Amino acid sequence: MRIVVDAYGGDNAPEAVVKGCVLAARELDIEIILTGNKKKLEELLKTENYPNDKIILYNAEEVITNDDSPVHAIRSKKNSSLVAALDLVKKHEADAVVSAGNTGAYLAGAFRILGRIKGVKRPALATFIPNLKGGSIVLDVGANADCKPENLLQFAWMGSVYAENVLKMENPRVSVLNIGAEESKGNDLVKEAFPLLKKSGLNFTGNIEARRIPYGDADVVVCDGFVGNVVLKLTEGVCLALLSMLKGVFLKNAVTKICAAALKPSLRDLKKKMDYSEYGGAPFLGIDGVVIKAHGSSNAKAFYNAIRSAVVFASTEVNDKIRFLLGAQKEETKDER
Amino acid sequence: MRIVVDAYGGDNAPEAVVKGCVLAARELDIEIILTGNKKKLEELLKTENYPNDKIILYNAEEVITNDDSPVHAIRSKKNSSLVAALDLVKKHEADAVVSAGNTGAYLAGAFRILGRIKGVKRPALATFIPNLKGGSIVLDVGANADCKPENLLQFAWMGSVYAENVLKMENPRVSVLNIGAEESKGNDLVKEAFPLLKKSGLNFTGNIEARRIPYGDADVVVCDGFVGNVVLKLTEGVCLALLSMLKGVFLKNAVTKICAAALKPSLRDLKKKMDYSEYGGAPFLGIDGVVIKAHGSSNAKAFYNAIRSAVVFASTEVNDKIRFLLGAQKEETKDER
C-alpha cells in the first residue's frame, strides 16, 4: 500500500510531517510519497534513520497556506504539495492521502480532483471524539455549514459504515444531535431528519443531547457541519481549559506539587485519552478516494496516527459499501417519485 | 421587592425550592411568594427557621411536569404553580419570577402571559457560562431553535445590556459564534448576521470559535438557540465527564487517595468555578417582565442564587433599556424602507 502525505500542511510542517512519515515507514508495511519542496525534504530526511526505499519524494514547490482562499488556491496553485498529493490519488499512484493543511482547500480540492462517490450528495468530514466509553464518530464537523435532512441521513449511513468497518464497532448506535430527547424537539433540520433516520434501517437510537456525547451514549453522532464543528472545537477547548485550571491547582504550593508528581502517570493516561493526536485523522467520507485530514496542529505522533488511519481505511471496503448503499438509496428515491 | 417562586418546578421540587427560599428570606431584603400546594408547603416550612413574614404562600394545586406539552400545559393547567407565578407578575403583585420547571412551558407561558417587550421579535434565553476569565453570557440557549439574522442582532443588544447592567461588565465584547474567525466563514445565518452586527454600534469583536469560549475571548456570545443549547449542555457534559475521570485517578490507590485529600480544598474551588448552581438562573430576555429560569436539577443553593439573580435583574433598568434600544431600532428600520 502507498500513502501520499502533504509535507507542507499544518502548523508544524514540514518538520513534524517528515518525522511522522519516518515513524510510519519504520512501523508500517507501506510506502510513503511525500509531496513538497524536494530539496528541503531531502535535507530533513538526511538526519533521520528509516528504511530509505519506503519514502519517495515528489517535488511540488508551491504551498497553500491557511490564509489562501480555498477554491482559488486549488485552482491557481496547481504545483502545490496539496494539489500534487490529491493528483497522485486520482492517478492511482497512491491509495490514500493525508494532509494537515488548510481544511477548506483540502476539502475543495478532494471534491474537485477526486469527486464524490456516486449517490453521495454531500461528502462529510467525520471526527473521532474520545469519551468515557472510548469514543464516537461525529459528522459532519465542518464540510457543510448548511444541510438538508437527506444530507443528515447520508451522513448517518457513511458514519455507520466507517464506524463498523474501520473502528470495528459492532452495529453502531446512530443518533441525531438535538436539544431534547423527544422526536418533536429541535430545529427544522433535525425534526425533518428524524423520520428519515427512523425508517432507514440503521441502528437509529433517536436524539442525543450534547450533554451525553462525553458519556458515549451514541457511536455515531449526526449533525450539520456548523453544529459538528462547534462540538469538536468546544470539546477540545473545555478539556484544555480544565486541564490548565488543574495545572494551576497543582502548582499552588509545595504539597500540591508533590501530589502532582505522584499523580503524574495517571494524569498522563487521562490526558492521553483526551488527546486528539492519539486518534489519527478525520476521514472525508463520500469522496471517491481515501482522504484523511490531520489536525492543523499535528505533531509527529499525530501524523503517524493519521497515516495509520489512512492505511486502515484504505484496506477496508468502506467506499464500496457507501457506493452500494447510497447509490441504491438514490434508485429507491427515484422509484418513489 | 417581591419575587414569586414556582415551588413545583425542577427535579428536586418542592423540597429544594423551599430550602432555597428560606435561605433567600434570611439573607436578602425581599419578600417571596411561593406558588404550589399550600398545605404541603406549610408542612415543609414548619421545620425551617426564617423570618415568617417574608415568605407568603399562594395556593395552586396543579403541577406542570416535564412530560407535559408546553403550550397545551399553559393553556389547560391554569391553576398550576407555574401559571400562577407568571400571573402574579402580570398583575404586578411580584417584581420577578423564578422557576426550574419545564423549560418549554415556562418560556411559552412567559411569552403568552407577560408578552414581549415592544420591538423585540424573539425573546432569548441567556445563560452565564463560567470560563477562565470569569464567565460570559451565551444567548440564545434554547428558546429559538431556528433564527433569522435580525434575531441574532437583537440577541446581541439584549445580551450586551444584561452583561453591562446586571453582570457589571464594562463595554462588553460581543461575538458571534462561528466555525472560523473570518467574516466569510459559517452558515447562511451567521454570514448574514455579521454585517448587521458590524454596523450596529455594539462593541462587536467579530466571530468567536467554540474552542475560545472557555478562554473567555468574548463577554457576550451570540448564536441561534439550537447551537447555544448544544454549547451549554456540551460544556456541562465535558466538565462532568472530565471530573469523573479525575475522580477515577484519585481513587486508584492509597497514594492517590492521600493526594486527593491534600488537593481537596483547591479542587473544591475549581469545581465551584465550573458549577452552574453558583451562578443563579438564566434570564429570559425580551419578555416584558423579569423571568429567571433555574437549572432543572437545582439544589437549594442554586435556587437561592437564582432568586438573587432575579433581585439584581429586577433592580436594574435592563428591560427599559431593551425597550428603548429595540423599539428605536424598529423605527430606524421603518425609516430605511
mmCIF file with all atom_site columns, all heavy atoms in Angstrom, chain A residues 298-320:
data_model
loop_
_atom_site.group_PDB
_atom_site.id
_atom_site.type_symbol
_atom_site.label_atom_id
_atom_site.label_alt_id
_atom_site.label_comp_id
_atom_site.label_asym_id
_atom_site.label_entity_id
_atom_site.label_seq_id
_atom_site.pdbx_PDB_ins_code
_atom_site.Cartn_x
_atom_site.Cartn_y
_atom_site.Cartn_z
_atom_site.occupancy
_atom_site.B_iso_or_equiv
_atom_site.pdbx_formal_charge
_atom_site.auth_seq_id
_atom_site.auth_comp_id
_atom_site.auth_asym_id
_atom_site.auth_atom_id
_atom_site.pdbx_PDB_model_num
ATOM 1   N N   . SER A 1 298 ? -1.013  19.188 14.305 1.00 0.00 ? 298 SER A N   1
ATOM 2   C CA  . SER A 1 298 ? -0.469  17.839 14.472 1.00 0.00 ? 298 SER A CA  1
ATOM 3   C C   . SER A 1 298 ? 1.036   17.844 14.731 1.00 0.00 ? 298 SER A C   1
ATOM 4   O O   . SER A 1 298 ? 1.789   18.572 14.080 1.00 0.00 ? 298 SER A O   1
ATOM 5   C CB  . SER A 1 298 ? -0.740  17.007 13.215 1.00 0.00 ? 298 SER A CB  1
ATOM 6   O OG  . SER A 1 298 ? -2.104  16.666 13.109 1.00 0.00 ? 298 SER A OG  1
ATOM 7   N N   . ASN A 1 299 ? 1.447   17.000 15.667 1.00 0.00 ? 299 ASN A N   1
ATOM 8   C CA  . ASN A 1 299 ? 2.872   16.733 15.860 1.00 0.00 ? 299 ASN A CA  1
ATOM 9   C C   . ASN A 1 299 ? 3.216   15.426 15.135 1.00 0.00 ? 299 ASN A C   1
ATOM 10  O O   . ASN A 1 299 ? 2.352   14.854 14.456 1.00 0.00 ? 299 ASN A O   1
ATOM 11  C CB  . ASN A 1 299 ? 3.202   16.643 17.359 1.00 0.00 ? 299 ASN A CB  1
ATOM 12  C CG  . ASN A 1 299 ? 2.316   15.623 18.068 1.00 0.00 ? 299 ASN A CG  1
ATOM 13  O OD1 . ASN A 1 299 ? 1.731   14.750 17.412 1.00 0.00 ? 299 ASN A OD1 1
ATOM 14  N ND2 . ASN A 1 299 ? 2.208   15.731 19.371 1.00 0.00 ? 299 ASN A ND2 1
ATOM 15  N N   . ALA A 1 300 ? 4.461   14.962 15.274 1.00 0.00 ? 300 ALA A N   1
ATOM 16  C CA  . ALA A 1 300 ? 4.887   13.769 14.538 1.00 0.00 ? 300 ALA A CA  1
ATOM 17  C C   . ALA A 1 300 ? 3.988   12.566 14.845 1.00 0.00 ? 300 ALA A C   1
ATOM 18  O O   . ALA A 1 300 ? 3.577   11.825 13.952 1.00 0.00 ? 300 ALA A O   1
ATOM 19  C CB  . ALA A 1 300 ? 6.341   13.452 14.881 1.00 0.00 ? 300 ALA A CB  1
ATOM 20  N N   . LYS A 1 301 ? 3.663   12.387 16.131 1.00 0.00 ? 301 LYS A N   1
ATOM 21  C CA  . LYS A 1 301 ? 2.835   11.249 16.533 1.00 0.00 ? 301 LYS A CA  1
ATOM 22  C C   . LYS A 1 301 ? 1.458   11.333 15.881 1.00 0.00 ? 301 LYS A C   1
ATOM 23  O O   . LYS A 1 301 ? 0.896   10.331 15.442 1.00 0.00 ? 301 LYS A O   1
ATOM 24  C CB  . LYS A 1 301 ? 2.711   11.239 18.064 1.00 0.00 ? 301 LYS A CB  1
ATOM 25  C CG  . LYS A 1 301 ? 2.067   9.999  18.609 1.00 0.00 ? 301 LYS A CG  1
ATOM 26  C CD  . LYS A 1 301 ? 2.001   10.029 20.126 1.00 0.00 ? 301 LYS A CD  1
ATOM 27  C CE  . LYS A 1 301 ? 1.175   11.209 20.588 1.00 0.00 ? 301 LYS A CE  1
ATOM 28  N NZ  . LYS A 1 301 ? 1.011   11.292 22.048 1.00 0.00 ? 301 LYS A NZ  1
ATOM 29  N N   . ALA A 1 302 ? 0.902   12.553 15.834 1.00 0.00 ? 302 ALA A N   1
ATOM 30  C CA  . ALA A 1 302 ? -0.409  12.729 15.219 1.00 0.00 ? 302 ALA A CA  1
ATOM 31  C C   . ALA A 1 302 ? -0.359  12.386 13.732 1.00 0.00 ? 302 ALA A C   1
ATOM 32  O O   . ALA A 1 302 ? -1.280  11.763 13.193 1.00 0.00 ? 302 ALA A O   1
ATOM 33  C CB  . ALA A 1 302 ? -0.902  14.149 15.432 1.00 0.00 ? 302 ALA A CB  1
ATOM 34  N N   . PHE A 1 303 ? 0.736   12.769 13.061 1.00 0.00 ? 303 PHE A N   1
ATOM 35  C CA  . PHE A 1 303 ? 0.867   12.408 11.647 1.00 0.00 ? 303 PHE A CA  1
ATOM 36  C C   . PHE A 1 303 ? 0.977   10.904 11.481 1.00 0.00 ? 303 PHE A C   1
ATOM 37  O O   . PHE A 1 303 ? 0.354   10.311 10.606 1.00 0.00 ? 303 PHE A O   1
ATOM 38  C CB  . PHE A 1 303 ? 2.070   13.120 11.008 1.00 0.00 ? 303 PHE A CB  1
ATOM 39  C CG  . PHE A 1 303 ? 1.746   14.506 10.556 1.00 0.00 ? 303 PHE A CG  1
ATOM 40  C CD1 . PHE A 1 303 ? 2.187   15.609 11.274 1.00 0.00 ? 303 PHE A CD1 1
ATOM 41  C CD2 . PHE A 1 303 ? 0.951   14.718 9.437  1.00 0.00 ? 303 PHE A CD2 1
ATOM 42  C CE1 . PHE A 1 303 ? 1.862   16.899 10.877 1.00 0.00 ? 303 PHE A CE1 1
ATOM 43  C CE2 . PHE A 1 303 ? 0.614   15.999 9.031  1.00 0.00 ? 303 PHE A CE2 1
ATOM 44  C CZ  . PHE A 1 303 ? 1.076   17.095 9.755  1.00 0.00 ? 303 PHE A CZ  1
ATOM 45  N N   . TYR A 1 304 ? 1.756   10.296 12.355 1.00 0.00 ? 304 TYR A N   1
ATOM 46  C CA  . TYR A 1 304 ? 1.876   8.839  12.301 1.00 0.00 ? 304 TYR A CA  1
ATOM 47  C C   . TYR A 1 304 ? 0.494   8.195  12.446 1.00 0.00 ? 304 TYR A C   1
ATOM 48  O O   . TYR A 1 304 ? 0.126   7.304  11.678 1.00 0.00 ? 304 TYR A O   1
ATOM 49  C CB  . TYR A 1 304 ? 2.820   8.351  13.406 1.00 0.00 ? 304 TYR A CB  1
ATOM 50  C CG  . TYR A 1 304 ? 2.747   6.865  13.634 1.00 0.00 ? 304 TYR A CG  1
ATOM 51  C CD1 . TYR A 1 304 ? 3.325   5.985  12.720 1.00 0.00 ? 304 TYR A CD1 1
ATOM 52  C CD2 . TYR A 1 304 ? 2.059   6.338  14.727 1.00 0.00 ? 304 TYR A CD2 1
ATOM 53  C CE1 . TYR A 1 304 ? 3.234   4.614  12.900 1.00 0.00 ? 304 TYR A CE1 1
ATOM 54  C CE2 . TYR A 1 304 ? 1.966   4.974  14.914 1.00 0.00 ? 304 TYR A CE2 1
ATOM 55  C CZ  . TYR A 1 304 ? 2.558   4.110  14.000 1.00 0.00 ? 304 TYR A CZ  1
ATOM 56  O OH  . TYR A 1 304 ? 2.450   2.765  14.176 1.00 0.00 ? 304 TYR A OH  1
ATOM 57  N N   . ASN A 1 305 ? -0.265  8.666  13.424 1.00 0.00 ? 305 ASN A N   1
ATOM 58  C CA  . ASN A 1 305 ? -1.595  8.085  13.634 1.00 0.00 ? 305 ASN A CA  1
ATOM 59  C C   . ASN A 1 305 ? -2.552  8.365  12.487 1.00 0.00 ? 305 ASN A C   1
ATOM 60  O O   . ASN A 1 305 ? -3.400  7.542  12.150 1.00 0.00 ? 305 ASN A O   1
ATOM 61  C CB  . ASN A 1 305 ? -2.180  8.588  14.963 1.00 0.00 ? 305 ASN A CB  1
ATOM 62  C CG  . ASN A 1 305 ? -1.573  7.859  16.153 1.00 0.00 ? 305 ASN A CG  1
ATOM 63  O OD1 . ASN A 1 305 ? -1.379  6.650  16.116 1.00 0.00 ? 305 ASN A OD1 1
ATOM 64  N ND2 . ASN A 1 305 ? -1.238  8.601  17.199 1.00 0.00 ? 305 ASN A ND2 1
ATOM 65  N N   . ALA A 1 306 ? -2.414  9.536  11.868 1.00 0.00 ? 306 ALA A N   1
ATOM 66  C CA  . ALA A 1 306 ? -3.258  9.854  10.714 1.00 0.00 ? 306 ALA A CA  1
ATOM 67  C C   . ALA A 1 306 ? -2.919  8.927  9.546  1.00 0.00 ? 306 ALA A C   1
ATOM 68  O O   . ALA A 1 306 ? -3.818  8.452  8.833  1.00 0.00 ? 306 ALA A O   1
ATOM 69  C CB  . ALA A 1 306 ? -3.074  11.313 10.318 1.00 0.00 ? 306 ALA A CB  1
ATOM 70  N N   . ILE A 1 307 ? -1.630  8.656  9.374  1.00 0.00 ? 307 ILE A N   1
ATOM 71  C CA  . ILE A 1 307 ? -1.212  7.739  8.304  1.00 0.00 ? 307 ILE A CA  1
ATOM 72  C C   . ILE A 1 307 ? -1.756  6.330  8.588  1.00 0.00 ? 307 ILE A C   1
ATOM 73  O O   . ILE A 1 307 ? -2.264  5.647  7.696  1.00 0.00 ? 307 ILE A O   1
ATOM 74  C CB  . ILE A 1 307 ? 0.337   7.723  8.171  1.00 0.00 ? 307 ILE A CB  1
ATOM 75  C CG1 . ILE A 1 307 ? 0.819   9.099  7.669  1.00 0.00 ? 307 ILE A CG1 1
ATOM 76  C CG2 . ILE A 1 307 ? 0.808   6.609  7.235  1.00 0.00 ? 307 ILE A CG2 1
ATOM 77  C CD1 . ILE A 1 307 ? 2.320   9.318  7.789  1.00 0.00 ? 307 ILE A CD1 1
ATOM 78  N N   . ARG A 1 308 ? -1.682  5.936  9.849  1.00 0.00 ? 308 ARG A N   1
ATOM 79  C CA  . ARG A 1 308 ? -2.224  4.623  10.224 1.00 0.00 ? 308 ARG A CA  1
ATOM 80  C C   . ARG A 1 308 ? -3.725  4.555  9.944  1.00 0.00 ? 308 ARG A C   1
ATOM 81  O O   . ARG A 1 308 ? -4.231  3.560  9.427  1.00 0.00 ? 308 ARG A O   1
ATOM 82  C CB  . ARG A 1 308 ? -1.931  4.363  11.702 1.00 0.00 ? 308 ARG A CB  1
ATOM 83  C CG  . ARG A 1 308 ? -1.679  2.920  12.030 1.00 0.00 ? 308 ARG A CG  1
ATOM 84  C CD  . ARG A 1 308 ? -1.507  2.722  13.512 1.00 0.00 ? 308 ARG A CD  1
ATOM 85  N NE  . ARG A 1 308 ? -2.488  3.542  14.239 1.00 0.00 ? 308 ARG A NE  1
ATOM 86  C CZ  . ARG A 1 308 ? -2.553  3.664  15.556 1.00 0.00 ? 308 ARG A CZ  1
ATOM 87  N NH1 . ARG A 1 308 ? -1.679  3.042  16.304 1.00 0.00 ? 308 ARG A NH1 1
ATOM 88  N NH2 . ARG A 1 308 ? -3.464  4.401  16.135 1.00 0.00 ? 308 ARG A NH2 1
ATOM 89  N N   . SER A 1 309 ? -4.447  5.633  10.259 1.00 0.00 ? 309 SER A N   1
ATOM 90  C CA  . SER A 1 309 ? -5.881  5.695  9.941  1.00 0.00 ? 309 SER A CA  1
ATOM 91  C C   . SER A 1 309 ? -6.108  5.510  8.447  1.00 0.00 ? 309 SER A C   1
ATOM 92  O O   . SER A 1 309 ? -7.019  4.796  8.023  1.00 0.00 ? 309 SER A O   1
ATOM 93  C CB  . SER A 1 309 ? -6.471  7.065  10.302 1.00 0.00 ? 309 SER A CB  1
ATOM 94  O OG  . SER A 1 309 ? -6.481  7.281  11.669 1.00 0.00 ? 309 SER A OG  1
ATOM 95  N N   . ALA A 1 310 ? -5.270  6.189  7.647  1.00 0.00 ? 310 ALA A N   1
ATOM 96  C CA  . ALA A 1 310 ? -5.414  6.106  6.191  1.00 0.00 ? 310 ALA A CA  1
ATOM 97  C C   . ALA A 1 310 ? -5.209  4.672  5.717  1.00 0.00 ? 310 ALA A C   1
ATOM 98  O O   . ALA A 1 310 ? -5.935  4.178  4.852  1.00 0.00 ? 310 ALA A O   1
ATOM 99  C CB  . ALA A 1 310 ? -4.419  7.049  5.518  1.00 0.00 ? 310 ALA A CB  1
ATOM 100 N N   . VAL A 1 311 ? -4.221  3.995  6.324  1.00 0.00 ? 311 VAL A N   1
ATOM 101 C CA  . VAL A 1 311 ? -3.933  2.607  5.948  1.00 0.00 ? 311 VAL A CA  1
ATOM 102 C C   . VAL A 1 311 ? -5.127  1.711  6.275  1.00 0.00 ? 311 VAL A C   1
ATOM 103 O O   . VAL A 1 311 ? -5.569  0.907  5.442  1.00 0.00 ? 311 VAL A O   1
ATOM 104 C CB  . VAL A 1 311 ? -2.659  2.101  6.678  1.00 0.00 ? 311 VAL A CB  1
ATOM 105 C CG1 . VAL A 1 311 ? -2.459  0.609  6.448  1.00 0.00 ? 311 VAL A CG1 1
ATOM 106 C CG2 . VAL A 1 311 ? -1.435  2.888  6.209  1.00 0.00 ? 311 VAL A CG2 1
ATOM 107 N N   . VAL A 1 312 ? -5.659  1.865  7.469  1.00 0.00 ? 312 VAL A N   1
ATOM 108 C CA  . VAL A 1 312 ? -6.795  1.028  7.873  1.00 0.00 ? 312 VAL A CA  1
ATOM 109 C C   . VAL A 1 312 ? -7.998  1.301  6.966  1.00 0.00 ? 312 VAL A C   1
ATOM 110 O O   . VAL A 1 312 ? -8.635  0.384  6.453  1.00 0.00 ? 312 VAL A O   1
ATOM 111 C CB  . VAL A 1 312 ? -7.171  1.278  9.353  1.00 0.00 ? 312 VAL A CB  1
ATOM 112 C CG1 . VAL A 1 312 ? -8.384  0.449  9.734  1.00 0.00 ? 312 VAL A CG1 1
ATOM 113 C CG2 . VAL A 1 312 ? -6.001  0.949  10.269 1.00 0.00 ? 312 VAL A CG2 1
ATOM 114 N N   . PHE A 1 313 ? -8.308  2.580  6.759  1.00 0.00 ? 313 PHE A N   1
ATOM 115 C CA  . PHE A 1 313 ? -9.431  2.967  5.906  1.00 0.00 ? 313 PHE A CA  1
ATOM 116 C C   . PHE A 1 313 ? -9.247  2.375  4.505  1.00 0.00 ? 313 PHE A C   1
ATOM 117 O O   . PHE A 1 313 ? -10.157 1.730  3.952  1.00 0.00 ? 313 PHE A O   1
ATOM 118 C CB  . PHE A 1 313 ? -9.514  4.499  5.881  1.00 0.00 ? 313 PHE A CB  1
ATOM 119 C CG  . PHE A 1 313 ? -10.676 5.085  5.119  1.00 0.00 ? 313 PHE A CG  1
ATOM 120 C CD1 . PHE A 1 313 ? -10.918 6.461  5.181  1.00 0.00 ? 313 PHE A CD1 1
ATOM 121 C CD2 . PHE A 1 313 ? -11.554 4.321  4.357  1.00 0.00 ? 313 PHE A CD2 1
ATOM 122 C CE1 . PHE A 1 313 ? -11.986 7.038  4.494  1.00 0.00 ? 313 PHE A CE1 1
ATOM 123 C CE2 . PHE A 1 313 ? -12.627 4.893  3.669  1.00 0.00 ? 313 PHE A CE2 1
ATOM 124 C CZ  . PHE A 1 313 ? -12.825 6.246  3.731  1.00 0.00 ? 313 PHE A CZ  1
ATOM 125 N N   . ALA A 1 314 ? -8.044  2.544  3.932  1.00 0.00 ? 314 ALA A N   1
ATOM 126 C CA  . ALA A 1 314 ? -7.810  2.110  2.548  1.00 0.00 ? 314 ALA A CA  1
ATOM 127 C C   . ALA A 1 314 ? -7.857  0.589  2.410  1.00 0.00 ? 314 ALA A C   1
ATOM 128 O O   . ALA A 1 314 ? -8.092  0.068  1.323  1.00 0.00 ? 314 ALA A O   1
ATOM 129 C CB  . ALA A 1 314 ? -6.468  2.647  2.057  1.00 0.00 ? 314 ALA A CB  1
ATOM 130 N N   . SER A 1 315 ? -7.649  -0.116 3.521  1.00 0.00 ? 315 SER A N   1
ATOM 131 C CA  . SER A 1 315 ? -7.668  -1.576 3.431  1.00 0.00 ? 315 SER A CA  1
ATOM 132 C C   . SER A 1 315 ? -9.064  -2.147 3.651  1.00 0.00 ? 315 SER A C   1
ATOM 133 O O   . SER A 1 315 ? -9.261  -3.358 3.605  1.00 0.00 ? 315 SER A O   1
ATOM 134 C CB  . SER A 1 315 ? -6.682  -2.169 4.448  1.00 0.00 ? 315 SER A CB  1
ATOM 135 O OG  . SER A 1 315 ? -7.137  -1.860 5.749  1.00 0.00 ? 315 SER A OG  1
ATOM 136 N N   . THR A 1 316 ? -10.040 -1.310 3.885  1.00 0.00 ? 316 THR A N   1
ATOM 137 C CA  . THR A 1 316 ? -11.423 -1.790 4.042  1.00 0.00 ? 316 THR A CA  1
ATOM 138 C C   . THR A 1 316 ? -12.209 -1.524 2.757  1.00 0.00 ? 316 THR A C   1
ATOM 139 O O   . THR A 1 316 ? -11.703 -0.902 1.822  1.00 0.00 ? 316 THR A O   1
ATOM 140 C CB  . THR A 1 316 ? -12.155 -1.038 5.176  1.00 0.00 ? 316 THR A CB  1
ATOM 141 O OG1 . THR A 1 316 ? -12.291 0.335  4.790  1.00 0.00 ? 316 THR A OG1 1
ATOM 142 C CG2 . THR A 1 316 ? -11.406 -1.131 6.486  1.00 0.00 ? 316 THR A CG2 1
ATOM 143 N N   . GLU A 1 317 ? -13.458 -1.959 2.775  1.00 0.00 ? 317 GLU A N   1
ATOM 144 C CA  . GLU A 1 317 ? -14.308 -1.706 1.606  1.00 0.00 ? 317 GLU A CA  1
ATOM 145 C C   . GLU A 1 317 ? -15.318 -0.603 1.894  1.00 0.00 ? 317 GLU A C   1
ATOM 146 O O   . GLU A 1 317 ? -16.428 -0.599 1.362  1.00 0.00 ? 317 GLU A O   1
ATOM 147 C CB  . GLU A 1 317 ? -15.015 -2.999 1.224  1.00 0.00 ? 317 GLU A CB  1
ATOM 148 C CG  . GLU A 1 317 ? -14.052 -4.023 0.679  1.00 0.00 ? 317 GLU A CG  1
ATOM 149 C CD  . GLU A 1 317 ? -14.704 -5.383 0.484  1.00 0.00 ? 317 GLU A CD  1
ATOM 150 O OE1 . GLU A 1 317 ? -15.708 -5.665 1.176  1.00 0.00 ? 317 GLU A OE1 1
ATOM 151 O OE2 . GLU A 1 317 ? -14.209 -6.133 -0.358 1.00 0.00 ? 317 GLU A OE2 1
ATOM 152 N N   . VAL A 1 318 ? -14.931 0.329  2.772  1.00 0.00 ? 318 VAL A N   1
ATOM 153 C CA  . VAL A 1 318 ? -15.857 1.385  3.182  1.00 0.00 ? 318 VAL A CA  1
ATOM 154 C C   . VAL A 1 318 ? -16.441 2.133  1.982  1.00 0.00 ? 318 VAL A C   1
ATOM 155 O O   . VAL A 1 318 ? -17.658 2.303  1.872  1.00 0.00 ? 318 VAL A O   1
ATOM 156 C CB  . VAL A 1 318 ? -15.162 2.370  4.152  1.00 0.00 ? 318 VAL A CB  1
ATOM 157 C CG1 . VAL A 1 318 ? -15.933 3.675  4.271  1.00 0.00 ? 318 VAL A CG1 1
ATOM 158 C CG2 . VAL A 1 318 ? -15.021 1.727  5.529  1.00 0.00 ? 318 VAL A CG2 1
ATOM 159 N N   . ASN A 1 319 ? -15.572 2.565  1.074  1.00 0.00 ? 319 ASN A N   1
ATOM 160 C CA  . ASN A 1 319 ? -16.089 3.360  -0.041 1.00 0.00 ? 319 ASN A CA  1
ATOM 161 C C   . ASN A 1 319 ? -16.994 2.552  -0.965 1.00 0.00 ? 319 ASN A C   1
ATOM 162 O O   . ASN A 1 319 ? -17.982 3.074  -1.474 1.00 0.00 ? 319 ASN A O   1
ATOM 163 C CB  . ASN A 1 319 ? -14.931 4.010  -0.811 1.00 0.00 ? 319 ASN A CB  1
ATOM 164 C CG  . ASN A 1 319 ? -14.414 5.243  -0.089 1.00 0.00 ? 319 ASN A CG  1
ATOM 165 O OD1 . ASN A 1 319 ? -15.024 5.689  0.896  1.00 0.00 ? 319 ASN A OD1 1
ATOM 166 N ND2 . ASN A 1 319 ? -13.306 5.794  -0.553 1.00 0.00 ? 319 ASN A ND2 1
ATOM 167 N N   . ASP A 1 320 ? -16.669 1.273  -1.163 1.00 0.00 ? 320 ASP A N   1
ATOM 168 C CA  . ASP A 1 320 ? -17.545 0.425  -1.978 1.00 0.00 ? 320 ASP A CA  1
ATOM 169 C C   . ASP A 1 320 ? -18.902 0.267  -1.306 1.00 0.00 ? 320 ASP A C   1
ATOM 170 O O   . ASP A 1 320 ? -19.944 0.270  -1.962 1.00 0.00 ? 320 ASP A O   1
ATOM 171 C CB  . ASP A 1 320 ? -16.913 -0.955 -2.190 1.00 0.00 ? 320 ASP A CB  1
ATOM 172 C CG  . ASP A 1 320 ? -15.732 -0.884 -3.160 1.00 0.00 ? 320 ASP A CG  1
ATOM 173 O OD1 . ASP A 1 320 ? -15.730 0.051  -3.993 1.00 0.00 ? 320 ASP A OD1 1
ATOM 174 O OD2 . ASP A 1 320 ? -14.830 -1.727 -3.063 1.00 0.00 ? 320 ASP A OD2 1
#
